[in-house]
Amino acid sequence: MDLSHPHDKFFKSWFSEPEHLTELLKVVLPPTLLTHLDWATLAVQDGTFVDEEHKEHFSDLAATVLFSGQSASLPLQLYFLIEHKSYNDCNT
């Protein structure tokens, strides 16, 4: 088992499950936005946008979900960039 970057792997593994990502979004997004999202359409996308230099400290995740507005439903693309460290960075 490869244990390099375990925090990144845990983050991506856990929040790649739509039910876990839904719970995260319900905590961090504004309530007015939450009422317009079609949770049944939430889908995690493959890929990463974090470069090699930063991947030890950052995790990213992309997803799509339908947004129901007054006249139509629109697909939203969501992107999350989470900083995580397994040590205390005294330089910040």
Side-chain angles (χ1 to χ4, degrees), residues 5-13 55 58-60 84:
H5 309 291
H7 299 92
D8 180 57
K9 290 178 180 162
F10 172 77
F11 171 85
K12 287 189 176 189
S13 172
K55 76 177 190 177
F58 295 91
S59 293
D60 65 338
H84 59 81

Side-chain angles (χ1 to χ4, degrees), residues 13-58:
S13 172
W14 184 261
F15 290 112
S16 289
E17 298 293 329
E19 63 270 16
H20 296 149
L21 184 55
T22 297
E23 292 305 315
L24 173 65
L25 294 176
K26 287 181 176 181
V27 171
V28 299
L29 293 178
T32 53
L33 177 60
L34 295 175
T35 60
H36 294 284
L37 299 180
D38 181 355
W39 297 106
T41 66
L42 182 67
V44 175
Q45 304 300 302
D46 289 332
T48 183
F49 299 97
V50 175
D51 62 21
E52 285 295 318
E53 178 183 354
H54 295 98
K55 76 177 190 177
E56 186 173 334
H57 301 291
F58 295 91

